[in-house]
Amino acid sequence: MHLKKKECLLQSTEKGQIGWAAGLWLLLFLGCLLCALIQLDVYRSSAQYMEDALAASNLAAAVIDVEEYGISHQLQIKDVYGARERHIAAVKGNLGLTDAWECPNQALISGPVKIENFTVYSVSGNDVEISSFDENGVLSRSVGTFGQVAAPNGVLVESSGIYSEICYRIRGLFGVEVDARKGKLADVMRNE
């Protein structure tokens, strides 16, 4: 049986054509991989920057009631309205935002920053009082059981603390803009 036919024979090519073609495909693949890695690094840097700013802002807002601590040795957030105002000022200062809540550094934040959730958790014995402000500043309160209350990011509430969540836009390579959201819980604990 004769397997080779005239139509199936390899066409003659100049020396190096296959090498050039393979090299160009490899170069294209490496270029795409490099773009993807740079994009991921931009997102990772922005997320880390936001997480640090949120943690600092939450801790700035978490002023405990010293009188209550002196009486019952329980850490309670003193004033939820005052805590929210301190948090707003701290977020604006930590991120260097303008009056329109936009960041001058467009590489990290390309649109206005919006506080979507601000929640104060006050642990007292077996109860957890939850005071939550929505994006419009409307306060809602509820009570949960210690050990069963978790923040929206899934972290279990073990002591009094503050959770906040912000939303912003980030610009990546080639002008691609993505809506990003970051939330952080900061607990206030006694040093024993």
Side-chain angles (χ1 to χ4, degrees):
M1 182 169 179
H2 188 60
L3 293 176
K4 292 184 181 179
K5 293 184 179 179
K6 270 191 168 184
E7 302 91 38
C8 296
L9 291 177
L10 286 176
Q11 300 288 329
S12 66
T13 59
E14 291 180 26
K15 244 183 180 175
Q17 272 187 330
I18 294 176
W20 274 101
L24 285 175
W25 281 108
L26 180 65
L27 191 62
L28 181 66
F29 172 74
L30 290 177
C32 291
L33 183 65
L34 181 64
C35 286
L37 290 175
I38 290 172
Q39 185 67 53
L40 285 175
D41 193 48
V42 166
Y43 291 153
R44 189 178 302 121
S45 297
S46 178
Q48 186 65 40
Y49 180 70
M50 287 302 208
E51 187 169 344
D52 291 345
L54 272 180
S57 300
N58 289 351
L59 289 174
V63 176
I64 63 166
D65 187 353
V66 180
E67 186 176 325
E68 178 67 32
Y69 182 72
I71 294 170
S72 65
H73 296 293
Q74 292 184 355
L75 297 170
Q76 301 286 321
I77 306 297
K78 187 173 186 173
D79 173 26
V80 293
Y81 291 103
R84 182 173 179 267
E85 293 304 317
R86 284 188 299 276
H87 181 265
I88 289 171
V91 166
K92 191 173 179 183
N94 288 334
L95 294 176
L97 302 176
T98 64
D99 289 335
W101 282 77
E102 291 188 358
C103 185
N105 184 359
Q106 294 289 315
L108 291 174
I109 306 168
S110 63
V113 175
K114 200 163 111 178
I115 299 174
E116 298 231 333
N117 185 357
F118 179 77
T119 305
V120 176
Y121 297 99
S122 292
V123 176
S124 177
N126 242 5
D127 294 332
V128 178
E129 182 183 336
I130 305 162
S131 303
S132 182
F133 290 91
D134 64 3
E135 60 191 46
N136 299 322
V138 177
L139 175 66
S140 62
R141 293 182 188 246
S142 61
V143 177
T145 306
F146 182 75
Q148 297 178 351
V149 176
N153 64 352
V155 177
L156 193 64
V157 176
E158 296 175 349
S159 65
S160 295
I162 293 178
Y163 173 84
S164 66
E165 187 174 331
I166 59 174
C167 178
Y168 61 100
R169 291 187 68 75
I170 182 169
R171 183 177 301 123
L173 292 178
F174 311 117
V176 175
E177 288 195 357
V178 178
D179 288 330
R181 182 179 310 277
K182 194 69 178 168
K184 183 74 177 166
L185 174 68
D187 289 335
V188 181
M189 302 186 87
R190 198 169 46 206
N191 189 9
E192 295 182 27

